[in-house]
Amino acid sequence: MSVFTNHLILTTSEKGGSGKSTAAIALVDALRFEGIPLAAYDGNVDVSSLYETLGTRDATGQLSDAQDPLMGAFPYSVRDESRTVLVDCLRQGYAHMVHDIAGGGLTDMQRLFGDKPDSLYQFVRSIARFDTCAVFVHLLTPDISTVASVAKYLDITENLGDLGHHVRHIAMLNLQGNRSEAHFPHWYGYTDATGEEKGGKTRARLLAAGGAEMNLPAIDERTMALLKAQKVPFTVGANMPEMSITDQSRLYNFTEDFSKELTHEIRQILGLAQ
């Protein structure tokens, strides 16, 4: 596996509400908790989940206007001209950068350099100049549209030619609601009532391309709602006196389970392990 100076990690899905922001928060939180320097960027200011949760605040509790991406979360919108942050962040020399991209943000990313609707060629060529790898973390739910989103990204990146080795893929299955493999028939494949084999092709393509898959663990919805109200990441919520012992324990279990999902294979793709 090629070694790169920088890794641009983007949580993506063409479908909104798939869990991208939760995944981005969990990833940044877990790795910062390990002491790994990680720059965070919220490319969806209309929602601002990453910014609201990880952004640094002043003495009054208000979000600071000036955000150090290594300490907090820098806000921008992939939908307007501030999308240039996607590549301009490379000048800072951060080894690992996480960008939470708004649902359906692929078209907006393509607008960055005026690429054709079926191309990210200029985007990848630009980051390649800085010896950077783009890691697309695709959020999956049982909805077939999330699988179609992965297929769309694979279609585009498979046509990059020699630049293709600057792109990697991770499929993250959102297990919210205590889902299991059986709840993802379009991803894993299934046999219909007539005996015909369906689905599973996109997963096979991703794995054949050197991609990997992991889970976003489930968490009690009540506990998650309380955590969002506090506007703090999982590791902080797990120790907040405002949380009951039950809620603290649920958050602690989530952080433990998520950390276990960051296997050596996943860390290799993220550029965190040789």
Side-chain angles (χ1 to χ4, degrees):
M1 185 175 288
S2 300
V3 177
F4 297 93
T5 302
N6 311 306
H7 286 77
L8 193 62
I9 305 161
L10 305 100
T11 54
T12 61
S13 178
E14 289 301 278
K15 178 176 173 54
S18 58
K20 295 181 300 299
S21 295
T22 300
I25 293 167
L27 184 60
V28 176
D29 185 34
L31 295 179
R32 284 182 176 176
F33 189 73
E34 291 182 17
I36 297 172
L38 202 69
Y41 296 84
D42 191 334
N44 187 11
V45 293
D46 291 335
V47 179
S48 297
S49 295
L50 193 73
Y51 177 47
E52 288 278 348
T53 303
L54 298 176
T56 52
R57 298 175 181 271
D58 61 24
T60 68
Q62 298 299 308
L63 285 163
S64 304
D65 291 333
Q67 290 284 326
D68 179 350
L70 284 176
M71 300 297 294
F74 187 90
Y76 71 98
S77 176
V78 75
R79 304 202 188 284
D80 63 29
E81 293 307 309
S82 65
R83 69 175 67 93
T84 56
V85 170
L86 261 173
V87 291
D88 287 341
C89 66
L90 299 179
R91 188 175 293 279
Q92 304 303 317
Y94 303 131
H96 297 92
M97 299 148 280
V98 172
H99 287 251
D100 184 24
I101 303 299
L106 177 59
T107 299
D108 299 296
M109 290 172 60
Q110 291 166 334
R111 290 194 181 108
L112 189 59
F113 294 104
D115 270 3
K116 297 177 181 179
D118 60 348
S119 174
L120 283 175
Y121 180 81
Q122 299 293 349
F123 172 74
V124 178
R125 185 171 73 168
S126 296
I127 68 170
R129 290 179 54 232
F130 292 86
D131 192 31
T132 299
C133 177
V135 183
F136 292 108
V137 180
H138 306 277
L139 270 295
L140 288 165
T141 69
D143 194 313
I144 192 173
S145 64
T146 61
V147 178
S149 174
V150 179
K152 189 172 184 178
Y153 273 88
L154 289 174
D155 288 341
I156 290 173
T157 57
E158 285 171 356
N159 291 321
L160 291 174
D162 292 341
L163 288 174
H165 79 283
H166 283 271
V167 177
R168 295 173 182 166
H169 300 276
I170 295 173
M172 187 181 292
L173 283 76
N174 188 340
L175 300 186
Q176 191 61 26
N178 294 315
R179 297 165 181 153
S180 66
E181 182 175 320
H183 292 97
F184 296 84
H186 305 295
W187 180 248
Y188 288 106
Y190 66 101
T191 303
D192 71 10
T194 68
E196 182 179 355
E197 298 289 335
K198 293 184 176 180
K201 293 181 180 179
T202 300
R203 177 177 185 258
R205 287 175 63 193
L206 181 138
L207 296 177
E213 53 193 354
M214 62 179 289
N215 295 323
L216 178 63
I219 187 168
D220 181 84
E221 292 186 6
R222 174 188 178 279
T223 300
M224 190 65 184
L226 294 174
L227 181 71
K228 287 182 177 180
Q230 295 291 342
K231 299 180 180 179
V232 295
F234 298 98
T235 55
V236 174
N239 294 287
M240 287 188 73
E242 293 87 345
M243 294 284 188
S244 69
I245 293 177
T246 298
D247 291 316
Q248 287 181 345
S249 298
R250 288 169 176 166
L251 291 166
Y252 178 81
N253 291 340
F254 174 89
T255 60
E256 286 283 292
D257 291 343
F258 187 82
S259 293
K260 290 176 183 177
E261 291 291 331
L262 298 175
T263 62
H264 182 74
E265 180 184 23
I266 295 294
R267 289 174 183 268
Q268 276 190 311
I269 293 175
L270 296 174
L272 298 169
Q274 301 299 323

